[in-house]
Amino acid sequence: MKEGLKIVTIGGGSSYTPELIEGLIKYNNELPVRELWLVDIEEGKEKLEIVGNLAKRMVKKAGVPIKICLTLDRKEALKSADFVTTQFRVGLLEARMKDESIPLKHGVLGQETNGPGGLFKALRTIPVILDICSEMEEVCPNAWLINFTNPAGMVTEAILRYSNIDKVVGLCNVPIGMEMGVAKLLEVEPHRVRIDFAGLNHMVYGLNVFVDGVSVKNQVMSLINDPEKSITMQNIHAMGWEPEFLKALDVFPCPYHNYYYKSGDMLEKELKNYKEGGTRAEVVKKLEEELFDLYSDPHLASKPPQLEKRGGAYYSDAAVRLIHSMYTDKCDIQAVNTINKGAISSLPFDSAVELSCIITKDGPKPIAVGDLPIQVRGLVQQVKSFERVAIEAAMNGDYATALLAMTINPFVPSDRVAKVILDEMLEAHKEYLPQFFNL
Amino acid sequence: MKEGLKIVTIGGGSSYTPELIEGLIKYNNELPVRELWLVDIEEGKEKLEIVGNLAKRMVKKAGVPIKICLTLDRKEALKSADFVTTQFRVGLLEARMKDESIPLKHGVLGQETNGPGGLFKALRTIPVILDICSEMEEVCPNAWLINFTNPAGMVTEAILRYSNIDKVVGLCNVPIGMEMGVAKLLEVEPHRVRIDFAGLNHMVYGLNVFVDGVSVKNQVMSLINDPEKSITMQNIHAMGWEPEFLKALDVFPCPYHNYYYKSGDMLEKELKNYKEGGTRAEVVKKLEEELFDLYSDPHLASKPPQLEKRGGAYYSDAAVRLIHSMYTDKCDIQAVNTINKGAISSLPFDSAVELSCIITKDGPKPIAVGDLPIQVRGLVQQVKSFERVAIEAAMNGDYATALLAMTINPFVPSDRVAKVILDEMLEAHKEYLPQFFNL
Amino acid sequence: MKEGLKIVTIGGGSSYTPELIEGLIKYNNELPVRELWLVDIEEGKEKLEIVGNLAKRMVKKAGVPIKICLTLDRKEALKSADFVTTQFRVGLLEARMKDESIPLKHGVLGQETNGPGGLFKALRTIPVILDICSEMEEVCPNAWLINFTNPAGMVTEAILRYSNIDKVVGLCNVPIGMEMGVAKLLEVEPHRVRIDFAGLNHMVYGLNVFVDGVSVKNQVMSLINDPEKSITMQNIHAMGWEPEFLKALDVFPCPYHNYYYKSGDMLEKELKNYKEGGTRAEVVKKLEEELFDLYSDPHLASKPPQLEKRGGAYYSDAAVRLIHSMYTDKCDIQAVNTINKGAISSLPFDSAVELSCIITKDGPKPIAVGDLPIQVRGLVQQVKSFERVAIEAAMNGDYATALLAMTINPFVPSDRVAKVILDEMLEAHKEYLPQFFNL
Amino acid sequence: MKEGLKIVTIGGGSSYTPELIEGLIKYNNELPVRELWLVDIEEGKEKLEIVGNLAKRMVKKAGVPIKICLTLDRKEALKSADFVTTQFRVGLLEARMKDESIPLKHGVLGQETNGPGGLFKALRTIPVILDICSEMEEVCPNAWLINFTNPAGMVTEAILRYSNIDKVVGLCNVPIGMEMGVAKLLEVEPHRVRIDFAGLNHMVYGLNVFVDGVSVKNQVMSLINDPEKSITMQNIHAMGWEPEFLKALDVFPCPYHNYYYKSGDMLEKELKNYKEGGTRAEVVKKLEEELFDLYSDPHLASKPPQLEKRGGAYYSDAAVRLIHSMYTDKCDIQAVNTINKGAISSLPFDSAVELSCIITKDGPKPIAVGDLPIQVRGLVQQVKSFERVAIEAAMNGDYATALLAMTINPFVPSDRVAKVILDEMLEAHKEYLPQFFNL
């Protein structure tokens, strides 16, 4: 029997990596990771070195027996892995900037995970992730793939439908962020909060909210009307909610729901930022530069607090908690993206959904939801339709399918505007879209 | 055994009535209608007289033994009816004008059947239709209710859920209009065209299109890209479609889909009309006045051709064909609104849907559709969610539920704007919304 | 464009063929069949000649321009076919005798279509039908396959799941026989009777029964309690029903339901016959010999009335009516075996079911049923589970799968008895079960 | 806030009660029960006293602050209860004897929970449990009802459908018995075993079996072929399985599956016992008498080991574990009977099912199963159909419905035999069936 676990992180040069290291150090007693391979591409070599060296310093300082390995050879890294995590971004932040700015130029929200931007992120990412799956099938067929790469829902579904890897879990920090937000709002310890999550990635609802098993949903709902108390994320501007809307909605929306129930206001705000020269991507770019400056400091041997501004709060915690529960067959409840298989009756049986699951060594087991409440059901179903068509376009590289996906995206006002945005984005991302350009 | 059939038409003073008379005359050999009761309210008495007298002249001229009875006493009229048709409009055209103009004032499409306007039409209409159902239960429990009153889908579902009448069929002229449009486009006789319809009222797709049983869908789809050849209705401006969008959509959209796949363009156009002083409601109002002028002519004894501009083309044909097939147990195929019961797997089991059915004496029997194609599934599901919440608001008269319905309507950009429109419309329609004002 | 239709009948030497010829003659005006190929195997050559010559005499006498072609070369016959009908029996009547007698020897009903006998019929037949499908794919990919070969439900499902042919319809004479039976019982013309069929092959119920569109179900149900008036088939002994059972059942059972709701009595009766030396197969064998004696008479040029005793009454009518409606896109209602696609919510989406369909040029379109009534749902579901496992065994030739199918068959009392019967039947049918013996 | 919990046990005079006491004592630290009310009927007064006094001695000896209250006044007892457990038997063991012996007299398995005997147990029990629910609604609307009374599945479903109590959990010792059996078989500690349960009460399968999160299903399945190692219960004779049947079945059957996959053998064995003068009920009766003799001993202050022979092993553990997890919101996994809500796609949405759930303060949350494997799906569905019709008969007291339920029970060979058994059992249980006799 192999001694200890081998984890491989694709996109290891990401600014998020120190969080992961922090988590692995924290759980090292129960989760005996012995090797962590950080993999990146040629273009990200410098960042990989910076982050990798910080990781080595962190591990050394903590005195844990984790060997950090840096490499550009992905397949070599994957060999005999136990867990593979993916947090890469095809086209880097430059691509994200285009994902956000091109739609905005045409008066449309880019929304880099579920909007027109998210469509292109899917088109760029899915072929790469399926390559990784092929390699895994060959060199580590028993490994679990823990995907953080956005759009995490679409990526997970593409893997489920089009790869031979079925040991995949899609992970997002939105659910854990909502639980943390509730804990803070109610001033209770986070472990006492439990939310029944159901929906899709970045389109998840808390069907109920508990403290110590007692529902506090109504209390939470009446508090978050207030923009000051709204539970949101670094990258989403909190605007509060109409109290009566929230009362009738009767389920706890996630921060991304601002894009749907306040699309007009969000568009206005993003257009303003855009004109003033700053999409979120640009803000993030600056943040990242600052982070890498910090990471380069040879005296730094811990995760710097500035990372939290980055928007990825709790990613580390979520990821390591997940791997830990899987490894120990802990059977605790965590919200992840996995195959539906009837857990949410209102969504396709074989689609990826995001919901509360029991985490076992045999993977996540969804807790049955029944039908989504009628008031949110249609929106979730609509986004799933978009996701499915987007995935199909990512696979077949067909212009008409991509135009269809763009047109049925909730943010896009017409087939005509869809075509304009599509054409410009296809051109802009050409080098990352071999399936559309027969590259 | 009773001799001949008794039909009762609620809202009998409508400008559409002459079409109905024309149909009853045409089918009189096989459909032995002996009494037609035209019922209206005090406010519509004058129109009822004008239309009723025209009806009498038409019947007399045709020499058919149909007795036309005019009354304001609805319950009296309903006694022992065989078929009850409903084509009334609560609040008359004035209400429709508000349904369209108030949202436009706030930059939002009113869309009088599925938009914010449709929401208010539902809020006004559902209580009245449920009253009619109560009376029917009492005085003609075996009658079939053929509802044309819009929003026909929501009204049908409200009856199915909240009345004791289950012999109800919702009827719309969109499907027959699409078949007629295809016949004209391909220059074939209408009876040779068959479309497999599935979806919701004003949200119906032709999943396939046949001439003599052979699919011509692709041919039709390649023709309707051209705005000149687009199949549309009097009240919807044809704009043509992006050819590649339509190719990937792969199903034949109905005219109302312009509101969804071209909401930006439709809004722009309606805002322009609005500023130039003319919503569709105002155009219709003028048309109606002209029609009633014509109807008043004591020499007129047939349906005047001007009625076709009104937007209700083929209503008469659709209605009488339906009643005829039910009466004769004809088992032909017609598209109507009826309870789903699994015919469309992607929609709730107990909801009203619009789809091709076999028409029998025992009512319409849906032809099973399976799942809606993924590319259109989400939109249809979203509209159904809206419909369900709207119906709930119509029943409970709860402000928060109405705000929820308004916010999740696809045309409404935010909870904030929803509230503004809602408040103004509630005030404007106050007299027709007893459930909201405890009247 | 090809002139006229080409029909190919696999198992053309069957004693049923004269019925088919009779039907084709009757409908020849509207169904322009120009070639009918009767195909059989070497072993059936003599019968093929006898039947083929009778067919030629019938056609000649009728003066219709149908060319009858006899051949042992199946693939040659299939070329450019428009419709392929299958009515062959792998292993001939000898195999059926074993299907019935081996289980009886162990005190178990053989039931040659859904029982242990039916399991073996499926194991023998499915590989052959899939071979035919492969040939069709190659030489007549646009043809429709009309399968009468039993077990028609399992065979249809096997084709749907495991061949590339999706233009397949499974046909049985039970539904038409039930309609004819009701017509006779109520003394009305058959075309006035309509039954809403739903279930599986040989496990179909009339959910409602109409004359001229008016339900007569209760009347029919109260009559068929009487064994004299029970609607049954040549091959099933009518025993009448407990009136109160039938009243609560509330749907019209098919003759094969005697095997399920009276399995004890049926077993007793069949054991008695068996001991007295006559399974149904043996009776049929004698009937067939008599029929072929008649067919050999060169003066015979019409279907002899004795054929009706054979148990295949109305097959001809059913088959030709079906082909006729498909060819003419008639859109009438007929009950066939086709893919479910949600028409019966209680059965798998992708399974073959038997139910009332609209018959179009594009194939049968099921009329949606919703859920089967709870009282019959479980039995139908149980038989479908058996069918699915039986099909799997037919495909994988795995002993354990076959034992599982045998054990879960409703007639088999234990895994132990299942094994005994299975072993003996495998040995007895060895030559027709290449998948189990690596032949 | 109330101090401590109040538990009420209906049928408190049962011989099982000492197990419950033992459990409450064991968990008293975390589950602060302060009052335990044992309720019984006049007829059971003596037993109640005996058991109640033993309970008092046990509590005293253990030194826990639980007050034991004995009463015949059920409604008084229910006041402000936190948990109500039901373990009564309408008609006592005499009724069970009839449930088993009358069918056997006619050559049919009685099977006191899912067979003809179970049907009558349901007919007697459901009216009583609904009375209890009415009282709970009035005097302890927030209490949870933990039902152990068999047939636990049907009783739970009847409560869900026909009472206003939705806080109900049906509990059976079969799942815990299977986990204990596996632990013993593999010689591991019970807490390391986890089985994914799905199905119905007494018709539950282990879809997978884990030790420390690693599947051991195949190992278990290959061991239990051996009758010596078969996992069974006191009241079911172990006969082992055909190894290849079990291999293809591919899921772990429960002891009651012997009645379905070995009905012939079980019948033979029970007939033999019956002729030799001993149904299981009679054995149990003797055991009970012995137990009450023991319980009467004023020196006894603990659960006597002889209780384990009674067949109710682990009931105490199951019940107290369940209440403990609910009270503490433990979120561990236990198998119970609860409303399906899509967790098992193959069974009705609103039916009671038995499956692995997360146990929270808010009740059990099913872990989604998807479809049951096809090979077991049909049997489970068939039994659910029977259960539903049986419940309907219990509610409407209609002879025809009861005959239908009896006929479609898997053990009953015909409508004719069903009628004979039904008539005799109705007569025998007359006094407990007011709904059938207008009492």
Side-chain angles (χ1 to χ4, degrees), chain D residues 163-314:
Chain D
S163 85
N164 293 315
I165 296 294
D166 57 2
K167 297 175 96 171
V168 56
V169 187
L171 189 60
C172 178
N173 65 341
V174 166
I176 194 173
M178 289 166 77
E179 288 187 339
M180 293 295 188
V182 167
K184 203 174 149 193
L185 193 69
L186 301 183
E187 298 176 356
V188 301
E189 294 150 284
H191 77 267
R192 294 173 58 196
V193 174
R194 189 177 80 245
I195 300 182
D196 288 346
F197 289 104
L200 305 177
N201 183 239
H202 288 192
M203 171 55 61
V204 74
Y205 293 90
L207 301 188
N208 209 338
V209 184
F210 301 95
V211 169
D212 298 334
V214 177
S215 178
V216 295
K217 185 178 68 172
N218 292 342
Q219 190 188 345
V220 169
M221 300 284 273
S222 67
L223 287 170
I224 61 170
N225 292 327
D226 180 353
E228 297 292 306
K229 297 197 171 163
S230 185
I231 288 167
T232 187
M233 310 181 74
Q234 283 303 332
N235 50 338
I236 299 174
H237 178 68
M239 291 184 277
W241 299 98
E242 291 295 336
E244 266 128 343
F245 162 69
L246 215 55
K247 180 177 160 247
L249 190 68
D250 198 35
V251 294
F252 180 33
C254 83
Y256 282 87
H257 282 116
N258 282 281
Y259 283 104
Y260 300 92
Y261 299 130
K262 295 183 169 301
S263 53
D265 299 333
M266 292 297 280
L267 177 59
E268 200 177 314
K269 186 167 165 47
E270 296 207 357
L271 279 173
K272 188 162 165 283
N273 288 348
Y274 172 61
K275 280 163 194 163
E276 291 169 355
T279 57
R280 174 73 195 160
E282 277 148 349
V283 175
V284 164
K285 196 155 181 244
K286 263 177 240 156
L287 280 170
E288 291 236 331
E289 283 161 10
E290 290 166 25
L291 284 171
F292 277 94
D293 280 352
L294 289 169
Y295 293 176
S296 304
D297 176 356
H299 302 297
L300 183 75
S302 59
K303 190 187 76 174
Q306 291 89 332
L307 178 50
E308 304 221 340
K309 286 197 205 144
R310 171 65 188 82
Y314 312 121

Side-chain angles (χ1 to χ4, degrees), chain B residues 40-51:
Chain B
D40 221 305
I41 54 172
E42 186 59 41
E43 228 172 333
K45 194 177 175 184
E46 198 194 325
K47 287 189 176 178
L48 177 64
E49 299 266 323
I50 294 171
V51 165

